[in-house]
Amino acid sequence: MSDTEKNAAAGAQEEAVESPDVHFEPIVKLQDVEVKTHEEDEDCIFKMRAKLFRFDTQGVEWKERGTGDVKLLKHKENGKVRLLMRREKTLKVCANHYITSDMVLSPNVGSDRSWVWNVAADLVEDEAERQLLAIRFANAENATKFKEAFEEARETNLSLTSDANPAQEESEDEDKEDDKEDAEASKDAEESKEEKKD
């Protein structure tokens, strides 16, 4: 290619670049759609980036479930706290469950920045599943903050269930007293039978 042809080609490129006012009308007009995350009725009391794993009992190994922000969300009306975690880019749910009194964070073997706990009903794919989950944080300080928030949430939910069912607790106490009385009555009956035999 000769120098004049190169100069002509460069001049044509410069002319094409000089027109920044190019505007194309869209073929289809899209409307705004309201997307609900189901977090609208909840306040975020804890949020931190982490990596979540689940234990696969068939393969006997830990499998990664996702990396993203783990949140503890407190419902505005009933006050219950749940754990919710979504994957970063897709925002797909990888953990979703209420924190119950039987959930205890145990340190993961060989790591001061991860925790393990059992979940009776983890609602990830619209189906409740029993899972063994592990979560790992960037450092031990973040892991400690998560444990403190998790235990506080567990205590909150525990106090809500005990406050919500005082009648149930009273009936359980009455049942225990009735059981004691029945046990004493049956013991007295057995003693009287033994006395009659003698």
Side-chain angles (χ1 to χ4, degrees), residues 102-197:
D102 61 339
M103 290 183 191
V104 178
L105 290 180
S106 305
N108 199 355
V109 178
S111 178
D112 62 344
R113 58 189 183 117
S114 63
W115 301 105
V116 178
W117 74 100
N118 277 307
V119 180
D122 189 29
L123 298 165
V124 174
E125 296 174 359
D126 298 330
E127 191 174 312
E129 277 187 78
R130 183 172 194 82
Q131 293 287 341
L132 178 62
L133 299 176
I135 193 163
R136 187 174 67 208
F137 294 91
N139 55 43
E141 182 182 335
N142 290 350
T144 304
K145 287 178 184 177
F146 173 74
K147 182 175 183 171
E148 290 168 359
F150 189 94
E151 289 177 347
E152 186 178 319
R154 187 178 68 214
E155 294 300 319
T156 300
N157 286 349
L158 182 62
S159 68
L160 287 172
T161 55
S162 63
D163 291 345
N165 299 327
Q168 182 180 355
E169 286 181 6
E170 288 177 14
S171 68
E172 288 175 1
D173 290 341
E174 290 173 4
D175 290 343
K176 287 178 184 176
E177 289 176 16
D178 291 341
D179 290 343
K180 285 181 184 178
E181 290 173 3
D182 291 342
E184 289 174 6
S186 64
K187 186 177 180 181
D188 291 340
E190 286 178 17
E191 288 176 1
S192 64
K193 284 181 184 178
E194 288 178 13
E195 289 176 5
K196 288 180 183 178
K197 288 180 182 178

Side-chain angles (χ1 to χ4, degrees), residues 9-190:
Q13 286 179 348
E14 288 177 12
E15 288 177 16
V17 174
E18 290 178 11
S19 56
D21 297 333
V22 177
H23 179 71
F24 296 101
E25 285 295 321
I27 297 172
V28 178
K29 300 255 184 196
L30 298 177
Q31 298 176 356
D32 289 338
V33 177
E34 184 179 334
V35 178
K36 290 191 176 188
T37 62
H38 300 290
E39 298 175 34
E40 292 82 12
D41 297 334
E42 297 170 312
D43 293 324
C44 183
I45 57 175
F46 179 84
K47 181 179 176 181
M48 191 171 290
R49 183 176 159 78
K51 186 177 279 194
L52 187 74
F53 300 88
R54 71 173 177 81
F55 189 73
D56 181 20
T57 54
Q58 293 172 346
V60 192
E61 63 181 345
W62 288 99
K63 292 195 174 180
E64 185 177 337
R65 232 196 205 171
T67 301
D69 288 332
V70 61
K71 298 179 189 177
L72 297 180
L73 302 170
K74 186 173 186 175
H75 199 275
K76 292 177 182 174
E77 291 177 19
N78 64 19
K80 281 189 164 185
V81 181
R82 71 177 173 132
L83 184 141
L84 177 72
M85 185 170 175
R86 294 180 186 271
R87 293 184 184 121
E88 305 189 286
K89 294 174 184 170
T90 62
L91 299 180
K92 186 176 178 183
V93 175
C94 56
N96 180 22
H97 59 270
Y98 282 107
I99 299 173
T100 59
S101 60
D102 61 339
M103 290 183 191
V104 178
L105 290 180
S106 305
N108 199 355
V109 178
S111 178
D112 62 344
R113 58 189 183 117
S114 63
W115 301 105
V116 178
W117 74 100
N118 277 307
V119 180
D122 189 29
L123 298 165
V124 174
E125 296 174 359
D126 298 330
E127 191 174 312
E129 277 187 78
R130 183 172 194 82
Q131 293 287 341
L132 178 62
L133 299 176
I135 193 163
R136 187 174 67 208
F137 294 91
N139 55 43
E141 182 182 335
N142 290 350
T144 304
K145 287 178 184 177
F146 173 74
K147 182 175 183 171
E148 290 168 359
F150 189 94
E151 289 177 347
E152 186 178 319
R154 187 178 68 214
E155 294 300 319
T156 300
N157 286 349
L158 182 62
S159 68
L160 287 172
T161 55
S162 63
D163 291 345
N165 299 327
Q168 182 180 355
E169 286 181 6
E170 288 177 14
S171 68
E172 288 175 1
D173 290 341
E174 290 173 4
D175 290 343
K176 287 178 184 176
E177 289 176 16
D178 291 341
D179 290 343
K180 285 181 184 178
E181 290 173 3
D182 291 342
E184 289 174 6
S186 64
K187 186 177 180 181
D188 291 340
E190 286 178 17

